[in-house]
Amino acid sequence: MSGLQETEYILKCTSACAGCSTSLILRHVLAAAGPDTVLVIPACCTSVIQGVYPKTSFRIPVYNVAFAASAAVASGMSAAFEAMGKKTNVIAYAGDGGTVDIGIQALSGALERETNFLYICYDNEAYGNTGMQRSGSTPLGARTTTTPEGKGHKKKDLDRIVAAHSIPYMATACSAYPKDLAGKVEKALATKGPAFIHVLAPCPPGWRYPAEKTIEMGKLAVKTGVWALYERMYETVVISGPTKAAMIKPTPIEEYIKPQGRFKGITPETITTIRLDSERMLRRLAAEEEGSC
Amino acid sequence: MLTISTGNNAVAAAVRRVKPAVVAAYPITPQTEIVEQIANYVADGSLDTRYIPVESEHSAMAACIGASITGSRTFTATSSHGLLYMNEMVNWAAGARLPIVMANVNRALGPGWNVWAEHTDSLQARDTGWLQIYVSTVQEAYDAVVMAFRIAEDRRVYLPVMVNLDGFTLSHITQQLYVSDIDGFIPPMELDHRISPDDPHGYGCMTGPQDYFRIRYDIERSMRESYAVIQETEKAFADRFSRSYGFTDEYRCEDADVLVITLGTLGKEAEVAVDMLRDEGIAAGSMRIRWFRPFPPLDTRDRELVVIDRDYSFGCGGILADAIRAQTKRDCFSVIAGIGGQEVTYRDIAGFVRDRRIGEEYWFGVDA
């Protein structure tokens, strides 16, 4: 198990928003990865958090790339380091827009080619640094600046898309469970071949809740079963402890939805749809874990 | 060693000699032979490179960028729609100062689907910060690829180079090709700004107007320095391999009254036209532009100019003609010909010269 924050790779006073879970996730990721790491990031909140040239708030090399290109740039970097005999960790760290929307082709190609890298999608469920426009990962009913009445479409199921590539290691995580996250990052980096982690990243300005509630919001996502924590090694699923607990005794979903301003005006029918979808996802995971699927 | 080869296979043969660490490529007609042949070299062990069979051209250039920034020699090849699809990353490669070499097999743009030769694909990329060379023979394609790596990787340049060859009229024709040991011609690649955890930096992060402006100016400064690097490289190549090139390929220009100015294989056709015209008593010469970026200084003196464009900028004119007018401050007879693979023979070119109307534009086969 990793010692959390043994070394800080993000310097103090970044330009992240108060209560930003994206920078929190990255602190844990980098601490688990260690100094022999190169980060590849597309246009996303992290490109703001790193600071403005010629300064950087990160103590590891960061390669900024065009929006759709993270997985492909990481492919080339990984191949080149391999050719040199270097074991440097290549980590692509991209938001949900850069992953489920514009970057999904490059991600799919890199996974299919069994690229030796770790791709982390930190999911704040909208285009964050451009001011919260809807993405394919925005949940049903959530208001964004481009869905002023609430999103009419469901959240894209990125994890099943990634799972369809049958990769050696993939996991989901949440910023509110740092030890779980760090352990998964370590496993992912120990994997030969492609590894993928999808991390829920609650966002105070985007989700419209007070900054100090960012950990609580992540915990509620897991406890209500809206977000499930698990690992998948090829076809083998292992559900993580917090989600196992939520499957036994879930917190009512309204406790997650009601405190978030983005769900203002959501109808009881939409809440029911979200609940039923979450329950279906958990049942499917349980069945997969038992190997009956 | 004397062999025979297609233009495409000559490019692949040059890549085999140059030994890039990483090749990332996506197939597109008429470039396919290049990537197939490189894949064969990797499979039979004659080329030790990491071949990344990417899922798109955007990812081809992205993967080259990721590989190149580690300080590794990198190659890709594309054509037409592939070049347009990767355009975002083409710009990124130059902005990131990466010495990637790419072969582009010039082809028309849809719709309608047309796989034949045209230069509008690469000329659309003329403002990206890439050096661009246009070749006219199989041997020149081979030699240009070899020299492109040395020029791109020179720290006075650190810019990518695009080697352009005409679809089918060069990519698929067979000519003689001398291949030789090039060991030592290209020094080992040293990228001063390579990414390394031992010396962490941020690359390409948000940049304010002042710094951004200076960084863009640095690109132009290197582009200007590349003139000397190109000359030195072509001289070193000529000294070792006895084949000499220049910014332009000039044929019977010294005493000419009228110059035919072209890009690519049309330049070879123009040489035959020049001989024909000379027999008729017309003092013609052929000036084929090899390097389009950086654009060369031209010695056209007071001669009349007939510029043939296998490309077009709608609402403006032939792209080469536009560049020639800007460079020479003189007008020309602008012929638009060969677009989408339209056949243009030396007889047609001789006709353009005979019937030249300086100051006018003429669409061959369409205009009266």
Side-chain angles (χ1 to χ4, degrees), chain A residues 53 62 64 76 82 105 113, chain B residues 50 55-56 92 201 203 206:
Chain A
Y53 176 90
V62 182
N64 288 265
E82 269 179 20
Q105 174 179 313
R113 294 188 304 272
Chain B
R50 302 284 163 140
E55 80 299 331
S56 76
W92 202 281
H201 292 278
Y203 292 80
M206 287 197 304

Side-chain angles (χ1 to χ4, degrees), chain B residues 52-319:
Chain B
I52 310 179
V54 283
E55 80 299 331
S56 76
E57 288 90 353
H58 194 278
S59 287
M61 188 50 65
C64 285
I65 288 168
S68 184
I69 191 60
T70 70
S72 299
R73 183 169 293 160
T74 308
F75 175 82
T76 189
T78 191
S79 174
S80 176
H81 288 262
L83 182 62
L84 268 57
Y85 193 54
M86 68 165 69
N87 186 45
E88 182 186 30
M89 305 316 292
V90 168
N91 281 269
W92 202 281
R97 308 306 301 267
L98 298 175
I100 297 164
V101 172
M102 170 163 64
N104 178 62
V105 184
N106 291 108
R107 171 190 143 177
L109 306 170
W113 285 122
N114 179 308
V115 297
W116 310 104
E118 180 175 335
H119 297 141
T120 313
D121 58 353
S122 53
L123 288 174
Q124 283 193 21
R126 70 188 184 277
D127 304 333
T128 55
W130 282 62
L131 280 68
Q132 283 197 348
I133 182 169
Y134 292 77
V135 301
S136 66
T137 67
V138 168
Q139 186 70 58
E140 194 186 358
Y142 179 93
D143 295 346
V145 170
V146 171
M147 283 187 268
F149 283 94
R150 176 161 155 167
I151 293 163
E153 292 171 12
D154 190 298
R155 58 168 51 79
R156 290 169 289 174
V157 179
Y158 279 161
L159 286 170
V161 178
M162 190 185 302
V163 177
N164 293 281
L165 58 156
D166 287 345
F168 295 100
T169 53
L170 183 52
S171 66
H172 284 65
I173 60 139
T174 301
Q175 291 174 342
Q176 66 175 32
L177 173 68
Y178 287 95
V179 292
S180 42
D181 173 18
I182 62 156
D183 286 356
F185 182 73
I186 309 169
M189 176 165 159
E190 285 178 13
L191 191 69
D192 294 343
H193 55 289
R194 71 185 173 280
I195 200 164
S196 168
D198 301 331
D199 183 22
H201 292 278
Y203 292 80
C205 46
M206 287 197 304
T207 306
Q210 281 296 98
D211 286 319
Y212 183 85
F213 195 89
R214 183 180 53 72
I215 289 167
R216 301 309 278 187
Y217 176 62
D218 280 346
I219 295 176
E220 175 56 14
R221 211 161 48 180
S222 297
M223 193 58 99
R224 289 176 195 177
E225 288 226 38
S226 75
Y227 284 106
V229 177
I230 289 168
Q231 280 175 323
E232 287 168 24
T233 303
E234 291 184 340
K235 167 97 171 45
F237 190 89
D239 289 346
R240 178 155 164 190
F241 302 106
S242 306
R243 290 189 295 275
S244 50
Y245 298 99
F247 286 102
T248 58
D249 177 20
E250 300 185 14
Y251 181 74
R252 301 183 81 168
C253 286
E254 310 76 31
D255 61 339
D257 297 327
V258 54
L259 298 182
V260 186
I261 302 181
T262 54
L263 284 175
T265 53
L266 282 175
K268 287 292 150 196
E269 209 70 24
E271 291 179 8
V272 183
V274 162
D275 287 343
M276 218 168 110
L277 290 161
R278 291 265 175 173
D279 288 346
E280 296 170 19
I282 299 172
S286 165
M287 181 182 279
R288 180 172 64 85
I289 307 293
R290 295 184 71 244
W291 288 94
F292 193 82
R293 287 289 181 273
F295 199 79
L298 299 176
D299 177 16
T300 58
R301 279 168 272 172
D302 56 349
R303 296 173 290 201
E304 290 189 62
L305 308 177
V306 176
V307 182
I308 307 178
D309 268 285
R310 186 169 232 164
D311 58 79
Y312 203 72
S313 175
F314 297 106
C316 179
I319 297 168

Side-chain angles (χ1 to χ4, degrees), chain A residues 122-154:
Chain A
Y122 64 94
D123 187 354
N124 64 1
E125 303 192 318
Y127 290 90
N129 89 64
T130 48
M132 300 315 283
Q133 296 80 28
R134 64 96 77 189
S135 80
S137 205
T138 302
L140 184 67
R143 292 182 183 212
T144 67
T145 54
T146 52
T147 52
E149 304 289 311
K151 192 188 177 201
H153 304 108
K154 291 181 181 180

Side-chain angles (χ1 to χ4, degrees), chain A residues 27-40:
Chain A
R27 282 174 68 199
H28 297 310
V29 167
L30 296 179
D36 192 11
T37 298
V38 171
L39 204 60
V40 176

Side-chain angles (χ1 to χ4, degrees), chain A residues 146-262:
Chain A
T146 52
T147 52
E149 304 289 311
K151 192 188 177 201
H153 304 108
K154 291 181 181 180
K155 181 180 174 80
K156 190 189 282 192
D157 194 341
L158 173 65
D159 301 319
R160 290 174 82 196
I161 295 170
V162 171
H165 293 76
S166 191
I167 59 172
Y169 187 83
M170 70 167 282
T172 57
C174 175
S175 55
Y177 297 86
K179 281 196 174 178
D180 177 76
L181 168 64
K184 287 168 174 172
V185 171
E186 285 176 358
K187 279 191 198 174
L189 291 172
T191 302
K192 174 79 182 152
F196 173 86
I197 304 178
H198 187 183
V199 193
L200 187 69
C203 169
W207 297 13
R208 301 181 208 170
Y209 63 81
E212 68 273 16
K213 293 205 180 294
T214 211
I215 299 298
E216 189 182 326
M217 208 51 65
K219 291 216 183 277
L220 281 167
V222 172
K223 286 179 177 171
T224 57
V226 168
W227 187 254
L229 304 179
Y230 65 96
E231 296 167 286
R232 183 189 294 272
M233 283 71 68
Y234 295 110
E235 314 309 325
T236 304
V237 170
V238 176
I239 297 170
S240 310
T243 289
K244 285 223 155 134
M247 289 161 92
I248 296 163
K249 192 172 181 236
T251 300
I253 200 162
E254 288 78 3
E255 290 189 28
Y256 173 66
I257 288 180
K258 288 283 157 72
Q260 298 184 43
R262 64 173 174 163

